Amino acid sequence: MTGSAVKEAAPVVATGLLVSDVDSTFLTQEVIELVAEHAGVRDRVEEITTAAMRGELDFAQSLRARVALLEGLDETVLATVRGILVPTPGALELVRRAKEAGWVTALVSGGFHEVIDELAAEAGIDYVRANRFEIVDGRFTGRVSGPIIDGAAKRVALEEFAQRHGVSTARTVAMGDGANDREMLVAAGTGIAFRAKPALREVADVVLDGESLWDAWPHLEAASRA
């Protein structure tokens, strides 16, 4: 599968499909802001991120603008950032329980493979679809490599994984927090907005405002009976 860096699961029929956004959903942080800290441009990147997640900016355009600010950064910062990632409370337990119950799990992210793949593999995530930094001679070029994973690409990923594993729409659950998760949540049988921006809350089936992603588990149980 193009864009998946985690070893693919065998295409067997699954109980359900759980697809989660990464930044401010599966993780408590925004990955590109952690990288931007090392370039001294975190404040500027945060401003663009916030506007994009509210739906005020086109996601692809905003991503290119943020990545452009990282030009010249040494790629060694990626290892540092990987070392400070903080999963959202309940996220790892939710994935573990879902997999025990026969669910396929995926992370679909406007963030970056280079940062999240290692954690995803450790968590037992079946699929990751995310962006990639363009790095030449050990330094960021300020460009994205390959197609951008935006809202439409997230929806396509959900539909693709569901079809691959024979999961009906009713048994798909998508979780996110920002405007670029709208299409994915609308396409899923159950769309969960987690501590989300208004642009996403208005289309979600479920709104969770607590601290823990474990609060999503009852909704997976309900979906598995659909």
Side-chain angles (χ1 to χ4, degrees):
M1 178 193 65
T2 301
S4 176
V6 174
K7 184 177 179 181
E8 292 189 4
V12 297
V13 175
T15 302
L17 170 67
L18 172 64
V19 179
S20 178
D21 172 48
V22 175
D23 296 326
S24 298
T25 303
F26 190 78
L27 297 177
T28 62
Q29 306 126 308
E30 293 280 335
V31 165
I32 196 167
E33 293 175 4
L34 299 179
V35 178
E37 181 79 34
H38 294 271
V41 294
R42 181 164 184 160
D43 288 348
R44 293 167 66 188
V45 167
E46 283 181 350
E47 290 175 5
I48 300 171
T49 298
T50 300
M53 291 304 97
R54 288 197 300 251
E56 297 171 0
L57 295 175
D58 172 75
F59 180 80
Q61 180 182 20
S62 74
L63 184 68
R64 291 189 183 97
R66 286 175 284 172
V67 172
L69 294 171
L70 306 178
E71 182 179 0
L73 192 63
D74 193 292
E75 69 175 335
T76 57
V77 304
L78 293 170
T80 302
V81 171
R82 286 194 294 269
I84 61 172
L85 297 180
V86 179
T88 296
L92 300 180
E93 175 65 13
L94 179 66
V95 169
R96 185 188 66 79
R97 183 68 68 88
K99 290 183 66 65
E100 288 176 352
W103 284 64
V104 171
T105 57
L107 298 179
V108 292
S109 178
F112 293 85
H113 277 291
E114 293 89 344
V115 175
I116 62 180
D117 279 357
E118 185 176 294
L119 175 61
E122 292 172 357
I125 297 292
D126 296 299
Y127 297 100
V128 176
R129 190 160 292 182
N131 296 297
R132 293 186 185 277
F133 293 113
E134 183 180 81
I135 297 174
V136 175
D137 296 330
R139 294 195 175 275
F140 287 66
T141 67
R143 294 186 294 271
V144 177
S145 176
I148 287 179
I149 304 303
D150 58 8
K154 289 186 174 190
R155 172 184 52 77
V156 168
L158 180 145
E159 293 169 346
E160 177 186 322
F161 301 152
Q163 182 178 26
R164 175 175 297 207
H165 290 276
V167 177
S168 67
T169 298
R171 292 191 174 202
T172 60
V173 175
M175 305 186 301
D177 74 299
N180 67 324
D181 298 313
R182 283 175 62 101
E183 290 192 43
M184 177 174 75
L185 262 66
V186 170
T190 302
I192 299 177
F194 180 71
R195 300 174 65 85
K197 309 298 186 295
L200 190 64
R201 299 168 78 94
E202 65 188 20
V203 301
D205 301 301
V206 176
V207 174
L208 300 178
D209 285 321
E211 298 289 335
S212 177
L213 269 184
W214 179 244
D215 294 342
W217 175 246
H219 304 288
L220 270 70
E221 289 187 303
S224 69
R225 297 190 291 268

